[in-house]
Amino acid sequence: MYISIILIAILLTYYFVKRFRPQSGILTYLITFAIVSPITLAGTLLPITVVQYIKDLNQSETYNAKIVDFVYETREKTDSSDHTIEVTVKVPVFQLVTSQGDTITKEAVHYNSSYSYKEETMYCKVNYNPSTGNIFITDRGFYKMLSVMIFFALFFDFLLVGIVLYALGKDMTRYKQMLGIVVFRITIPMAILGFAVVLLFAAYEESDMSLLAKIACIGFGVLLLLASIGLIILSNSKNKKKNRKRNNNNPQNNQRSHPSFLEFRN
C-alpha cells in the first residue's frame, strides 16, 4: 500500500511541476516531491485510520475489565524544543468476560499515550469490538485524539484534491476561493479555538499548577476564545458585504431596478 501511495506521489509531482514550471531541474522535482509525498500519505492514510476508529466505536460493546498486566513500548515523541526523544509508554493488558461467556485477554489499542494508569486502579470501563477484537478506552483523550485526526484528515484531503486538480490541468479559480474560506474562515479560527480550549482545560485539570499560572491560562484562554469568535463574525460580515456588492453590481439586478430609457413596457 505504501509503495502505491509513493508511486501516486511521484506521478503527481511530475505533472504538478510540468504545469507549474516545465523547464525545471531535478532540484525543483525533489522539493515538490518533499511537499507532495507527505500530503499524499496523510490524505490517504488518515481517513482510513479515522474510519477504523469510528467503526470500532460503533461496533463496540462496553464491559468492566480488569487490568492484569502492562506492556511497555518504546516510542518517539517530540519535546517542547522540537527534539525527537524516545519515551517508554505503559500499555495496559485487559481481561474481560463477554456476554457470551468468553474470556478475552488483550492489550489496549486506540489509547492515549499520556494516559496514566494508577497501580491501585485495577478495574475500568472499556470498549470491546468483537469483530476486530480491539479493546480500548473511550475517555476524553480518545475523543480528543479522534477529533484532531478528523480535522487533519479533512485538511490534508483538501490539499490533496488541490494538488490532483492542478496536476490534471484543471481551472483552479473555484478551488482558490474555497482555499481562502478553509484557511481564513475555518483553519485559523479553529486553531486559535483549539489553543484556547487547551489552556482552559490545563487550568481546570492540572492540580499541581500554581494559582498565578492558572489565572494566566484562564486569561489567555478567554482572550483566544474571544479572538476566534471575533474572527468568525468578521469573516461572515465581510462575506455578506461581498455578496451585497456582487448583487448590486449585477447587470440583471440593475435592469430590474432601473429600466432603460428606451425600454417599452406592456
Side-chain angles (χ1 to χ4, degrees), residues 53 71-75 88-92 94 107-117 135-139 141-143 145 149:
Y53 274 47
V71 177
Y72 295 90
E73 295 181 0
T74 303
R75 296 191 172 190
T88 301
V89 179
K90 193 176 182 181
V91 185
F94 291 108
E107 66 183 70
V109 297
H110 307 338
Y111 64 94
N112 186 7
S113 59
S114 62
Y115 193 92
S116 59
Y117 299 96
I135 298 175
F136 54 98
I137 300 174
T138 53
D139 58 352
F142 173 83
Y143 288 109
M145 178 175 61
M149 288 177 66

Short mmCIF file of all heavy atoms in Angstrom, two decimals, residues 53 71-75 88-92 94 107-117 135-139 141-143 145 149:
data_model
loop_
_atom_site.label_atom_id
_atom_site.label_comp_id
_atom_site.label_asym_id
_atom_site.label_seq_id
_atom_site.Cartn_x
_atom_site.Cartn_y
_atom_site.Cartn_z
N TYR A 53 -11.24 3.75 13.42
CA TYR A 53 -11.56 4.17 14.79
C TYR A 53 -13.08 4.28 14.97
O TYR A 53 -13.63 3.79 15.96
CB TYR A 53 -10.91 5.52 15.09
CG TYR A 53 -9.49 5.44 15.59
CD1 TYR A 53 -8.56 4.63 14.96
CD2 TYR A 53 -9.07 6.19 16.67
CE1 TYR A 53 -7.25 4.56 15.40
CE2 TYR A 53 -7.76 6.13 17.13
CZ TYR A 53 -6.85 5.31 16.48
OH TYR A 53 -5.57 5.24 16.93
N VAL A 71 2.22 -3.73 29.27
CA VAL A 71 3.22 -3.91 28.23
C VAL A 71 3.91 -2.57 28.04
O VAL A 71 3.25 -1.53 27.94
CB VAL A 71 2.57 -4.38 26.90
CG1 VAL A 71 3.62 -4.48 25.81
CG2 VAL A 71 1.88 -5.72 27.09
N TYR A 72 5.23 -2.59 28.00
CA TYR A 72 6.00 -1.35 27.86
C TYR A 72 6.53 -1.25 26.43
O TYR A 72 7.23 -2.14 25.95
CB TYR A 72 7.14 -1.32 28.87
CG TYR A 72 6.65 -1.28 30.30
CD1 TYR A 72 6.41 -2.46 31.00
CD2 TYR A 72 6.38 -0.07 30.92
CE1 TYR A 72 5.94 -2.43 32.30
CE2 TYR A 72 5.91 -0.03 32.22
CZ TYR A 72 5.69 -1.21 32.91
OH TYR A 72 5.22 -1.18 34.20
N GLU A 73 6.15 -0.17 25.76
CA GLU A 73 6.57 0.06 24.37
C GLU A 73 7.42 1.33 24.29
O GLU A 73 7.12 2.32 24.96
CB GLU A 73 5.36 0.20 23.45
CG GLU A 73 4.52 -1.06 23.33
CD GLU A 73 3.35 -0.88 22.39
OE1 GLU A 73 3.20 0.24 21.85
OE2 GLU A 73 2.58 -1.84 22.21
N THR A 74 8.46 1.29 23.47
CA THR A 74 9.31 2.45 23.25
C THR A 74 8.82 3.18 22.01
O THR A 74 8.71 2.59 20.94
CB THR A 74 10.77 2.03 23.07
OG1 THR A 74 11.18 1.29 24.22
CG2 THR A 74 11.67 3.25 22.89
N ARG A 75 8.52 4.46 22.17
CA ARG A 75 8.02 5.26 21.06
C ARG A 75 8.77 6.58 20.97
O ARG A 75 9.41 7.01 21.93
CB ARG A 75 6.52 5.56 21.24
CG ARG A 75 5.67 4.30 21.20
CD ARG A 75 4.22 4.65 21.12
NE ARG A 75 3.41 3.46 20.91
CZ ARG A 75 2.12 3.48 20.62
NH1 ARG A 75 1.51 4.64 20.51
NH2 ARG A 75 1.45 2.37 20.44
N THR A 88 9.10 5.65 26.99
CA THR A 88 8.51 4.34 27.25
C THR A 88 7.03 4.53 27.62
O THR A 88 6.71 5.26 28.56
CB THR A 88 9.24 3.62 28.40
OG1 THR A 88 10.62 3.48 28.03
CG2 THR A 88 8.66 2.25 28.63
N VAL A 89 6.17 3.89 26.85
CA VAL A 89 4.73 4.02 27.04
C VAL A 89 4.21 2.77 27.77
O VAL A 89 4.56 1.64 27.41
CB VAL A 89 4.00 4.19 25.69
CG1 VAL A 89 2.50 4.30 25.90
CG2 VAL A 89 4.52 5.41 24.96
N LYS A 90 3.38 3.00 28.77
CA LYS A 90 2.82 1.92 29.58
C LYS A 90 1.44 1.56 29.03
O LYS A 90 0.50 2.34 29.13
CB LYS A 90 2.73 2.39 31.03
CG LYS A 90 2.45 1.31 32.04
CD LYS A 90 2.49 1.94 33.43
CE LYS A 90 2.26 0.90 34.50
NZ LYS A 90 2.29 1.52 35.85
N VAL A 91 1.33 0.39 28.42
CA VAL A 91 0.07 -0.04 27.80
C VAL A 91 -0.56 -1.12 28.67
O VAL A 91 0.08 -2.14 28.95
CB VAL A 91 0.31 -0.59 26.38
CG1 VAL A 91 -1.01 -0.93 25.71
CG2 VAL A 91 1.10 0.40 25.55
N PRO A 92 -1.81 -0.94 29.13
CA PRO A 92 -2.44 -1.95 29.99
C PRO A 92 -2.93 -3.16 29.20
O PRO A 92 -3.32 -3.05 28.05
CB PRO A 92 -3.61 -1.18 30.59
CG PRO A 92 -3.96 -0.17 29.57
CD PRO A 92 -2.67 0.23 28.91
N PHE A 94 -5.86 -5.86 29.35
CA PHE A 94 -7.17 -6.02 29.99
C PHE A 94 -7.66 -7.46 29.88
O PHE A 94 -7.35 -8.17 28.92
CB PHE A 94 -8.21 -5.11 29.34
CG PHE A 94 -7.99 -3.65 29.60
CD1 PHE A 94 -7.55 -2.81 28.59
CD2 PHE A 94 -8.23 -3.11 30.85
CE1 PHE A 94 -7.34 -1.47 28.82
CE2 PHE A 94 -8.02 -1.76 31.09
CZ PHE A 94 -7.58 -0.94 30.07
N GLU A 107 -4.14 -6.52 25.09
CA GLU A 107 -3.67 -5.17 25.41
C GLU A 107 -4.52 -4.13 24.69
O GLU A 107 -5.15 -4.41 23.67
CB GLU A 107 -2.20 -4.99 25.03
CG GLU A 107 -1.92 -5.05 23.54
CD GLU A 107 -0.44 -4.95 23.25
OE1 GLU A 107 0.30 -5.91 23.55
OE2 GLU A 107 -0.02 -3.90 22.72
N ALA A 108 -4.55 -2.92 25.24
CA ALA A 108 -5.40 -1.86 24.71
C ALA A 108 -4.86 -1.31 23.41
O ALA A 108 -3.66 -1.27 23.18
CB ALA A 108 -5.54 -0.75 25.74
N VAL A 109 -5.78 -0.87 22.56
CA VAL A 109 -5.42 -0.13 21.34
C VAL A 109 -6.19 1.19 21.36
O VAL A 109 -7.04 1.42 22.21
CB VAL A 109 -5.78 -0.93 20.06
CG1 VAL A 109 -4.98 -2.21 19.98
CG2 VAL A 109 -7.28 -1.24 20.01
N HIS A 110 -5.90 2.07 20.39
CA HIS A 110 -6.56 3.39 20.30
C HIS A 110 -6.43 4.16 21.60
O HIS A 110 -7.32 4.91 21.98
CB HIS A 110 -8.04 3.27 19.96
CG HIS A 110 -8.35 2.46 18.76
ND1 HIS A 110 -7.44 2.23 17.76
CD2 HIS A 110 -9.48 1.81 18.38
CE1 HIS A 110 -8.00 1.49 16.82
NE2 HIS A 110 -9.23 1.21 17.17
N TYR A 111 -5.36 3.96 22.33
CA TYR A 111 -5.24 4.60 23.64
C TYR A 111 -4.44 5.87 23.53
O TYR A 111 -3.65 6.06 22.60
CB TYR A 111 -4.59 3.65 24.64
CG TYR A 111 -3.16 3.29 24.29
CD1 TYR A 111 -2.10 4.01 24.82
CD2 TYR A 111 -2.90 2.26 23.39
CE1 TYR A 111 -0.80 3.69 24.46
CE2 TYR A 111 -1.61 1.96 23.04
CZ TYR A 111 -0.56 2.67 23.57
OH TYR A 111 0.71 2.38 23.21
N ASN A 112 -4.63 6.75 24.49
CA ASN A 112 -3.84 7.97 24.58
C ASN A 112 -2.57 7.67 25.34
O ASN A 112 -2.60 7.22 26.48
CB ASN A 112 -4.66 9.06 25.30
CG ASN A 112 -3.95 10.40 25.30
OD1 ASN A 112 -2.93 10.56 24.65
ND2 ASN A 112 -4.50 11.35 26.01
N SER A 113 -1.40 7.91 24.72
CA SER A 113 -0.13 7.54 25.33
C SER A 113 0.17 8.32 26.62
O SER A 113 0.98 7.91 27.42
CB SER A 113 1.02 7.75 24.34
OG SER A 113 1.06 9.10 23.93
N SER A 114 -0.52 9.47 26.81
CA SER A 114 -0.28 10.26 28.01
C SER A 114 -1.19 9.82 29.17
O SER A 114 -1.12 10.39 30.25
CB SER A 114 -0.53 11.75 27.72
OG SER A 114 -1.88 11.96 27.34
N TYR A 115 -2.04 8.83 28.91
CA TYR A 115 -2.95 8.35 29.97
C TYR A 115 -2.14 7.64 31.05
O TYR A 115 -1.30 6.79 30.76
CB TYR A 115 -3.98 7.39 29.36
CG TYR A 115 -5.14 7.07 30.28
CD1 TYR A 115 -6.30 7.82 30.24
CD2 TYR A 115 -5.06 6.01 31.16
CE1 TYR A 115 -7.37 7.52 31.07
CE2 TYR A 115 -6.11 5.70 31.99
CZ TYR A 115 -7.27 6.46 31.95
OH TYR A 115 -8.32 6.16 32.78
N SER A 116 -2.37 7.99 32.31
CA SER A 116 -1.62 7.38 33.42
C SER A 116 -2.52 6.37 34.13
O SER A 116 -3.65 6.69 34.50
CB SER A 116 -1.16 8.46 34.40
OG SER A 116 -2.27 9.16 34.92
N TYR A 117 -2.02 5.16 34.31
CA TYR A 117 -2.76 4.10 34.98
C TYR A 117 -2.19 3.92 36.38
O TYR A 117 -1.02 3.58 36.55
CB TYR A 117 -2.65 2.79 34.19
CG TYR A 117 -3.21 2.90 32.80
CD1 TYR A 117 -2.39 3.16 31.72
CD2 TYR A 117 -4.58 2.75 32.58
CE1 TYR A 117 -2.91 3.26 30.44
CE2 TYR A 117 -5.10 2.85 31.31
CZ TYR A 117 -4.25 3.11 30.24
OH TYR A 117 -4.77 3.22 28.98
N ILE A 135 -9.67 -3.78 22.03
CA ILE A 135 -10.11 -3.27 23.33
C ILE A 135 -9.53 -1.88 23.49
O ILE A 135 -8.33 -1.67 23.28
CB ILE A 135 -9.65 -4.18 24.48
CG1 ILE A 135 -10.26 -5.58 24.35
CG2 ILE A 135 -10.02 -3.58 25.83
CD1 ILE A 135 -9.74 -6.57 25.37
N PHE A 136 -10.38 -0.91 23.86
CA PHE A 136 -9.89 0.46 24.01
C PHE A 136 -10.76 1.20 25.02
O PHE A 136 -11.87 0.75 25.37
CB PHE A 136 -9.89 1.20 22.67
CG PHE A 136 -11.22 1.19 21.95
CD1 PHE A 136 -12.08 2.27 22.03
CD2 PHE A 136 -11.60 0.10 21.19
CE1 PHE A 136 -13.30 2.26 21.37
CE2 PHE A 136 -12.81 0.08 20.51
CZ PHE A 136 -13.66 1.16 20.61
N ILE A 137 -10.25 2.33 25.48
CA ILE A 137 -10.95 3.16 26.47
C ILE A 137 -11.46 4.41 25.78
O ILE A 137 -10.70 5.12 25.12
CB ILE A 137 -10.01 3.56 27.63
CG1 ILE A 137 -9.49 2.30 28.34
CG2 ILE A 137 -10.72 4.45 28.63
CD1 ILE A 137 -8.45 2.59 29.39
N THR A 138 -12.74 4.69 25.91
CA THR A 138 -13.32 5.88 25.28
C THR A 138 -13.40 7.01 26.32
O THR A 138 -14.47 7.43 26.73
CB THR A 138 -14.72 5.58 24.73
OG1 THR A 138 -15.53 5.01 25.77
CG2 THR A 138 -14.67 4.62 23.57
N ASP A 139 -12.24 7.49 26.71
CA ASP A 139 -12.19 8.61 27.64
C ASP A 139 -12.07 9.92 26.86
O ASP A 139 -12.18 9.94 25.63
CB ASP A 139 -11.03 8.44 28.62
CG ASP A 139 -9.69 8.33 27.90
OD1 ASP A 139 -9.70 8.23 26.66
OD2 ASP A 139 -8.65 8.34 28.57
N GLY A 141 -9.43 11.64 26.33
CA GLY A 141 -8.27 11.59 25.46
C GLY A 141 -8.57 10.92 24.13
O GLY A 141 -8.05 11.34 23.09
N PHE A 142 -9.41 9.88 24.15
CA PHE A 142 -9.77 9.19 22.91
C PHE A 142 -10.53 10.12 21.98
O PHE A 142 -10.22 10.21 20.78
CB PHE A 142 -10.63 7.95 23.24
CG PHE A 142 -11.20 7.26 22.04
CD1 PHE A 142 -10.46 6.35 21.33
CD2 PHE A 142 -12.50 7.54 21.63
CE1 PHE A 142 -10.98 5.71 20.21
CE2 PHE A 142 -13.04 6.91 20.51
CZ PHE A 142 -12.27 5.99 19.80
N TYR A 143 -11.55 10.81 22.51
CA TYR A 143 -12.34 11.71 21.66
C TYR A 143 -11.54 12.92 21.20
O TYR A 143 -11.73 13.41 20.09
CB TYR A 143 -13.60 12.16 22.42
CG TYR A 143 -14.62 11.07 22.57
CD1 TYR A 143 -14.88 10.47 23.81
CD2 TYR A 143 -15.35 10.61 21.47
CE1 TYR A 143 -15.81 9.47 23.94
CE2 TYR A 143 -16.28 9.60 21.59
CZ TYR A 143 -16.51 9.03 22.83
OH TYR A 143 -17.43 8.03 22.94
N MET A 145 -8.26 12.84 20.62
CA MET A 145 -7.40 12.31 19.57
C MET A 145 -8.19 12.10 18.27
O MET A 145 -7.72 12.44 17.18
CB MET A 145 -6.79 10.99 20.03
CG MET A 145 -5.90 10.29 19.02
SD MET A 145 -5.13 8.81 19.73
CE MET A 145 -6.58 7.84 20.14
N MET A 149 -7.66 13.96 14.63
CA MET A 149 -7.42 13.15 13.44
C MET A 149 -8.42 13.48 12.33
O MET A 149 -8.07 13.56 11.16
CB MET A 149 -7.49 11.67 13.80
CG MET A 149 -6.30 11.19 14.60
SD MET A 149 -6.45 9.46 15.07
CE MET A 149 -6.35 8.68 13.48
#
